[in-house]
Amino acid sequence: MHGKIFMSFHYKDGYLYCEKMRVKDIQEQVPYSPFYLYSLAQLEANYAAYQEALDGLDSIIGYAIKANNNLTLLKRLSALGSGAVLVSGNELQMSLAAGFDLKRTILNGNGKTLAELSLAIEHGVLINIDSEFDLAHIQQTAKALDTPANVLIRINPGVDPEVHPYVSTGMKNSKFGIRNERLNWFLDEIRKDDLLNLVGVHCHLGSTIKKVRIFRDATEVMLGFIRAIEAEGFSLRYLNIGGGLGIDYERTGEDIPTPSDLIDSIRDLLPEDLTLIIEPGRSLVGNTSVFVNRVIGVKTNGNKHFIVTDGSMSELIRPSLYDTYQHIEFIEPVDGKPEMYDVVGPVCESADFLGKGRPLPTPHEGAGLVVCDAGAYCHAMSSNYNLKMTPPEYLVDGDSFTCIRRVETLDDYLRVFEI
Ligand code: LLP
C-alpha cells in the first residue's frame, strides 16, 4: 500500500475520540439523537491524499456531490480546489452556492432534463452524453440557448468492477452510457453540430472497488476508444475514469488501495496531452464521519439478541439496501455480557437494521453507539420513513465542534403541506 490512511477517529481509555474531542462529551451536549459527526482533519487529509497522488499530472478532482451534499463540507472542498461531479440541477445549484468553479464540473446522468441541461450549458459545465436521446436533448438545448456545449461521451468499458450489482455501472447491460457499437453514429451527429465540442470520454465502472487492476484495465480500454475517436478527426482533451475507489468498511486488515495506488497503477499509460478527470465520492468523505446513536434497550426473541438504537434505516439505509457491512462500536466503556447482536432501529420494518450478527458486550440503556464510515451515501440517502426527521450534522475541528446542519423539525416537515 502506498500512502498511509490518516485516521482521525481513535480510542483512548475506552472512549471514542474524533480528533481531540471525546464523542461521548459531544453526545451529551447535542440536544438530539441520532446525529452525524464529521472530522474536518479527515476530510482535508483525504483531499490531500488525492492531490499528492496526482502530483505532476494535469488533472481535475471532481468530488461526486451525491455522496454527501452538506453545504459546509462542499464549501471546504471547493476552497481546497476540488471540482464537482453532478447528477442533477439541484446539485448544480448547490455547487454554485458552495463556490465550485463550474468550468471544472461535470454533469452526469442517464435522465437529464432539458431544464438541467440548460443550466449546465449556461454555466459551461462539461456534459456527459449518455444515450441517443440525451444527445438530442443536449443539441436541442444548445440550439435554443445558441451557446456551445462541451461534451464527453460516456462509454461502458465492460470491465467487471467485482462489486455488489447495485453499484456496478460500467458493464454492457448497464442503464448508463452509450451502446459502444453506435460510437460512430454519435461521432457523426456531433461532427454535424457546430454547437457541440467533443472534448473527451468518460466511464464509471462502479463503486467500492478494491483492486486497482480494474482501473488499469478500464483505462487501457478507454485509451483505445480515444485513439479510435481521434482517428475520426477529433482532438480530445479529457479522459474521465470516474470514481469508485473502495474504503475499509470491514476493518479486517485487508489492504485497501489508496489514491496513490490507484493513480500509480495508470500513470504510465497516460499521454501527456490529456487531462485526467477522476470522480471520487466515497474515498473522499466515507471515513470522515460516524453516525452517533443511543441505545434504547436490549431484547431477546427466540435465539436472537437485539440492541435497539434510536437510529434506523431512515437515517442510514446502506446495510438494509445493499446488505453491506459498516463497523459498529460503542463510544464509551461497556462491559455487559458479550453476545451476538443484531443492531436494529425502531422503524416498523424487519429490513430495519444497522448491523447483523455483531459480537458486542451487552450495553446499558443510553449507551452511545456509532456506525462507522458514515460520511458517504448515509446522510445523503436518509428518508422520513416512519416520520423520522432528517438528522443533524456536526463538524469537529481540533478541540471544538459546530452544528453544520440543524435537525429537521416536524414543523419544517408540515410546511410542505401548506398548499
Ligand atoms: N461518478 C459517477 C458517474 C457515479 O455514478 C458515482 C457513484 C461516482 C462518480 C462516485 O463514486 P464513489 O467514488 O463514491 O464510489 N449508494 C451506493 C453508491 C452509489 C454510487 C453511485 N455512483 C452506496 O451507498 O454504496
Side-chain angles (χ1 to χ4, degrees), residues 313 344-353 385-386:
M313 68 186 290
V344 301
V347 161
C348 196
E349 173 105 39
S350 291
D352 176 28
F353 62 91
Y385 191 39
N386 282 210

XYZ file of all heavy atoms in Angstrom, residues 313 344-353 385-386:
98
model
N -32.842 2.593 9.633
C -32.698 2.632 8.174
C -33.167 3.965 7.593
O -32.818 4.296 6.463
C -33.496 1.495 7.520
C -34.981 1.661 7.654
S -35.963 0.266 7.037
C -35.743 0.383 5.297
N -30.522 -3.017 15.638
C -31.699 -2.649 14.843
C -32.260 -1.307 15.308
O -32.044 -0.886 16.443
C -32.801 -3.740 14.946
C -32.276 -5.088 14.462
C -33.338 -3.853 16.361
N -33.016 -0.664 14.407
C -33.637 0.607 14.747
C -35.087 0.414 15.135
O -35.595 -0.720 15.143
N -35.796 1.526 15.411
C -37.190 1.447 15.824
C -38.193 1.466 14.672
O -39.399 1.496 14.901
C -37.350 2.707 16.682
C -36.372 3.671 16.119
C -35.231 2.875 15.553
N -37.707 1.442 13.435
C -38.624 1.556 12.292
C -39.400 0.255 12.114
O -38.885 -0.836 12.312
C -37.826 1.939 11.016
C -38.596 1.628 9.757
C -37.469 3.423 11.063
N -40.670 0.421 11.750
C -41.603 -0.690 11.695
C -41.396 -1.499 10.425
O -42.170 -1.400 9.465
C -43.008 -0.096 11.749
S -44.209 -1.316 12.130
N -40.330 -2.289 10.397
C -39.904 -2.973 9.173
C -38.777 -3.924 9.568
O -37.804 -3.491 10.177
C -39.385 -1.887 8.213
C -38.748 -2.329 6.968
C -39.651 -2.117 5.754
O -40.340 -1.079 5.707
O -39.659 -2.977 4.902
N -38.881 -5.195 9.195
C -37.795 -6.125 9.575
C -36.502 -5.839 8.840
O -35.433 -6.276 9.254
C -38.230 -7.568 9.344
O -39.218 -7.888 10.282
N -36.585 -5.106 7.714
C -35.359 -4.721 6.990
C -34.604 -3.612 7.712
O -33.547 -3.191 7.249
C -35.719 -4.242 5.587
N -35.148 -3.142 8.826
C -34.507 -2.034 9.541
C -33.423 -2.562 10.469
O -33.696 -2.973 11.599
C -35.561 -1.266 10.346
C -34.928 -0.173 11.188
O -33.862 0.338 10.789
O -35.491 0.156 12.248
N -32.195 -2.565 9.962
C -31.066 -2.929 10.818
C -29.845 -2.110 10.404
O -29.731 -1.676 9.257
C -30.759 -4.430 10.734
C -30.351 -4.903 9.367
C -29.025 -4.922 8.989
C -31.312 -5.321 8.447
C -28.645 -5.352 7.729
C -30.936 -5.744 7.179
C -29.608 -5.760 6.809
N -39.002 8.087 6.460
C -39.833 6.905 6.717
C -40.149 6.796 8.209
O -39.279 6.996 9.050
C -39.085 5.660 6.211
C -39.923 4.411 6.181
C -41.270 4.440 5.796
C -39.369 3.191 6.547
C -42.017 3.286 5.774
C -40.117 2.029 6.518
C -41.444 2.082 6.142
O -42.191 0.938 6.110
N -41.401 6.483 8.506
C -41.911 6.443 9.886
C -41.881 7.833 10.533
O -41.841 7.959 11.760
C -41.140 5.444 10.763
C -41.545 3.995 10.544
O -41.472 3.183 11.450
N -41.981 3.640 9.359
